[in-house]
């Protein structure tokens, strides 16, 4: 193929036409030819990944690396991506946070064709909206802990906006990811950073009574997952390249929680984060915070002014996770020595901090009520999850849609969490606005994942502006795999 391109260039030269004179790139010249090169090629393949000296994992990756390569798109410019699957398992590659068609989105439940085992798919789409997105596998893992998002199939996407997003000296992408999962019976996901923290009395009574009844029948607690290894950009703390900075610099961090199941915190001693975007969408009120709290599949873009020279650990506030690798070294020019860690002052994470005070979301055309519930240990030891009493079929296939949308209408989802777990809730192919957090109204913060705390309520609004089947699910792999999904369609 290179030879083919070469001969065309040679032809142009000989005929006195340069590519520059035509203002055509090779891609444009061969746009209709089957041989045209893709803008990006992604290889799904097994690879050995060294996360620390002599600590080597075997996992399914994108292009043999962890995380997968950073893919930069241009807002509004059509792109072609070849996805080659070198494994024996049909795969789905999901373009998380993008407004694309169901044919491209990467969810079997919406009807996206699989990338066949030992086969390939070419897709063409117009990346949007601009900002920090990501790509990851959307396969069901079930009880197979080397499949789905337990694998290394995760990578960052940046869609360059037409306008410059802010003043900074350089950008750093960080992907947070755990490996070597094991199961335990029961166990809690820490929620002590969430604000508002008020729980709903009725939800709590309902959830606790259900759990009590299950345990009284002799059921054990359902499985929860934990990990042995913790990495940032594929390396355990202290074993990768440090982020090298200069005094006075403004560094824009794009941080992705690529975990299958975990919520993370992140702090950098002596520094604050100016959060400018959540899930890639600029926030109305950029605000300085001492730490970040980032749910499964959430992204935070934050500027750190490097005004505290030293060698520091940017790491998880949970000592155990940080000591097992969840951190990265930040090293100022001319400084050396052992990286330092200091515990941050107590802080609560509230999405409404980044909203414009006093702004009110418009009324929706229609509101859908959803109640999330846990059926303790009901699926061979795994918790079964239901939305309005129904668990999604555990087949990764299409099922009848439960909620029906009309194009152009604005919808509100009133979510009630009747479980003690926290859920990072995700809506495909649309962005939503946070409009109510545990009873407190807010507006203006646009996201594609929201954490709904145990026994809490949360409301999100979205405009039905992208026809086709649309998947809604908890992004916690163990929850989505065991029923916590539902489909919307357009009627
Ligand atoms: Cu969940």
């Amino acid at each position: 193929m290179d030879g083919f391109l070469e001969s065309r260039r040679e032809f142009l030269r000989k005929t006195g036409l340069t590519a520059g004179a035509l203002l055509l790139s090779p891609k444009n010249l061969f746009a209709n030819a089957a041989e045209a090169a893709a803008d990006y090629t992604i290889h799904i393949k097994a690879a050995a990944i060294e996360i620390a000296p002599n600590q080597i994992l075997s996992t399914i990756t994108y292009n043999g690396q962890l995380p997968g390569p950073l893919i930069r798109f241009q807002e509004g410019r059509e792109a072609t991506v070849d996805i080659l699957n070198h494994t024996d398992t049909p795969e789905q590659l999901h373009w998380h946070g993008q407004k694309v068609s169901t044919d491209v989105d990467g969810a079997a439940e919406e009807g996206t064709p699989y990338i066949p085992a030992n086969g390939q798919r070419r897709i063409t789409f117009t990346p949007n909206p601009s900002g920090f997105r990501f790509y990851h596998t959307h396969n069901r893992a079930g009880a197979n802990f080397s499949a789905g998002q337990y694998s290394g199939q995760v990578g960052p996407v940046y869609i360059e906006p037409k306008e410059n997003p802010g003043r900074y000296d350089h950008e750093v992408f960080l992907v947070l990811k755990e490996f070597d999962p094991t199961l335990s019976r029961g166990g809690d996901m820490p929620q002590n950073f969430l604000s508002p923290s008020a729980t709903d009395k009725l939800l709590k009574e309902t959830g606790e009574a259900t759990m009590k009844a299950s345990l009284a029948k002799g059921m054990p607690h359902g499985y929860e997952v934990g990990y042995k290894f913790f990495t940032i950009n594929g390396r355990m703390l202290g074993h990768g390249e440090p982020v090298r900075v200069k005094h006075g610099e403004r560094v824009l961090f794009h941080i992705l929680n690529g975990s299958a199941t975990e919520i993370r915190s992140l702090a950098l001693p002596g520094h604050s984060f100016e959060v400018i975007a959540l899930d890639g969408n600029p926030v109305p009120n950029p605000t300085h915070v001492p730490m970040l709290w980032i749910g499964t599949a959430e992204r935070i873009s934050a500027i750190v002014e490097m005004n505290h020279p030293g060698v520091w650990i940017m790491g998880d506030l949970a000592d155990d996770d940080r000591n097992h690798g969840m951190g990265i070294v930040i090293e100022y020019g001319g400084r050396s020595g052992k990286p330092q860690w200091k515990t941050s002052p107590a802080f609560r994470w509230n999405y409404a901090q980044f909203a414009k005070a006093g702004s009110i979301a418009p009324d929706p055309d229609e509101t859908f009520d959803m109640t999330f519930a846990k059926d303790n240990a009901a699926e061979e030891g795994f918790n079964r999850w239901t939305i309005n009493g129904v668990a999604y079929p555990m087949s990764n296939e299409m099922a009848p849609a439960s909620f029906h949308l009309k194009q152009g209408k604005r919808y509100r989802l009133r979510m009630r969490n009747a479980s003690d777990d926290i859920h990072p809730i995700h809506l495909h192919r649309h962005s939503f606005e946070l409009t109510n957090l545990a009873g407190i109204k807010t507006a203006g913060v646009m996201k594609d994942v929201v954490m709904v705390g145990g026994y809490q309520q949360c409301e999100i609004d979205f405009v039905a502006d992208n026809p086709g089947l649309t998947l809604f699910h908890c992004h916690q792999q163990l929850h989505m795999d065991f029923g916590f999904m539902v489909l919307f369609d357009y009627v």
Side-chain angles (χ1 to χ4, degrees), residues 385 422-425 474-476 479-480 484:
W385 293 92
I422 185 165
H423 302 290
I425 299 295
C474 177
H475 216 285
Q476 216 274 27
H479 299 180
M480 66 183 282
F484 206 143

Side-chain angles (χ1 to χ4, degrees), residues 287-309:
T287 301
H288 286 267
V289 291
M291 56 155 283
L292 306 175
W293 201 46
I294 176 165
T296 313
E298 283 189 313
R299 287 90 66 211
I300 297 176
S301 300
I303 293 173
V304 177
E305 196 175 318
M306 295 298 167
N307 53 13
H308 201 59

Side-chain angles (χ1 to χ4, degrees), residues 95-98 128-135 155-159 173 256 278-282 299 431 448:
W95 298 100
H96 186 118
Q98 291 204 44
N128 81 108
S130 64
F132 187 24
R133 315 283 157 205
F134 79 114
Y135 60 116
V157 168
Y158 195 79
I159 305 174
F173 288 81
L256 157 65
L278 293 176
D279 295 350
N281 307 313
R299 287 90 66 211
S431 301
D448 51 58

Side-chain angles (χ1 to χ4, degrees), residues 68-84:
L70 169 64
I71 297 183
R72 282 188 180 268
F73 292 121
Q74 294 285 331
E75 183 182 15
R77 187 191 291 173
E78 192 177 80
T80 299
V81 181
D82 282 338
I83 311 166
L84 280 69

Side-chain angles (χ1 to χ4, degrees), residues 464-477:
D465 57 0
N466 192 12
L469 283 172
T470 297
L471 192 62
F472 170 97
H473 64 92
C474 177
H475 216 285
Q476 216 274 27
Q477 183 93 49

Side-chain angles (χ1 to χ4, degrees), residues 190-459:
Q191 304 183 24
N192 49 331
F193 295 119
L194 185 66
S195 173
S197 58
T199 54
D200 182 283
K201 196 166 167 277
L202 184 64
L203 289 173
K204 192 169 182 175
E205 282 171 5
T206 311
E208 286 184 346
T210 309
M211 190 65 187
K212 211 172 151 187
S214 169
L215 297 175
K217 279 192 296 185
M219 292 292 272
H221 282 275
Y223 295 130
E224 300 291 348
V225 67
Y227 300 88
K228 193 170 168 191
F229 301 117
F230 297 76
T231 66
I232 293 183
N233 288 355
R235 286 282 180 154
M236 293 174 74
L237 173 60
H239 299 298
E241 285 294 300
V243 177
R244 295 193 174 86
V245 301
K246 291 193 194 87
H247 191 183
E249 228 176 17
R250 285 164 63 85
V251 178
L252 173 55
F253 287 94
H254 293 294
I255 302 165
L256 157 65
N257 181 354
S259 177
T261 57
E262 299 244 311
I263 294 167
R264 299 251 71 93
S265 57
L266 208 60
L268 177 59
H271 298 76
S272 71
F273 297 90
E274 184 190 3
V275 174
I276 62 165
L278 293 176
D279 295 350
N281 307 313
V283 293
N285 180 33
T287 301
H288 286 267
V289 291
M291 56 155 283
L292 306 175
W293 201 46
I294 176 165
T296 313
E298 283 189 313
R299 287 90 66 211
I300 297 176
S301 300
I303 293 173
V304 177
E305 196 175 318
M306 295 298 167
N307 53 13
H308 201 59
V311 182
W312 302 103
I313 291 172
M314 181 193 273
D316 200 300
L317 277 94
D319 293 338
D320 204 46
D321 296 355
R322 195 180 61 256
N323 293 336
H324 286 87
M326 189 50 79
I328 190 164
V329 175
I330 309 289
E331 187 182 289
Y332 278 71
R335 295 289 177 136
S336 58
K338 191 170 181 273
Q340 301 297 305
W341 171 258
K342 273 187 218 153
T343 307
S344 295
F347 178 75
R348 282 188 172 276
W349 181 259
N350 187 335
Y351 296 120
Q353 289 167 113
F354 312 107
K356 196 171 249 170
S359 62
I360 293 167
D363 286 335
D365 295 302
E366 192 177 346
T367 298
F368 295 122
D369 284 287
M370 290 183 174
T371 300
F372 307 146
K374 172 164 71 179
D375 206 346
N376 179 55
E379 288 288 333
E380 298 180 336
F382 291 91
N383 297 320
R384 183 197 294 134
W385 293 92
T386 59
I387 298 174
N388 293 346
V390 179
Y392 194 90
M394 279 152 232
S395 58
N396 215 194
E397 297 302 327
M398 296 169 86
S402 304
F403 298 98
H404 312 294
L405 307 172
K406 288 195 174 73
Q407 191 168 1
K409 298 280 187 204
R410 182 180 171 91
Y411 293 91
R412 179 161 297 169
L413 305 183
R414 190 184 291 140
M415 303 181 282
R416 293 186 174 90
N417 180 7
S419 76
D420 56 346
D421 301 70
I422 185 165
H423 302 290
I425 299 295
H426 174 46
L427 179 67
H428 280 230
R429 304 173 60 249
H430 298 76
S431 301
F432 54 72
E433 181 175 0
L434 306 185
T435 52
N436 194 311
L437 303 165
I440 298 166
K441 285 186 178 175
T442 185
V445 175
M446 302 300 297
K447 292 183 79 345
D448 51 58
V449 177
V450 61
M451 287 185 278
V452 180
Y455 302 131
Q456 288 198 331
Q457 294 196 36
C458 174
E459 292 175 12

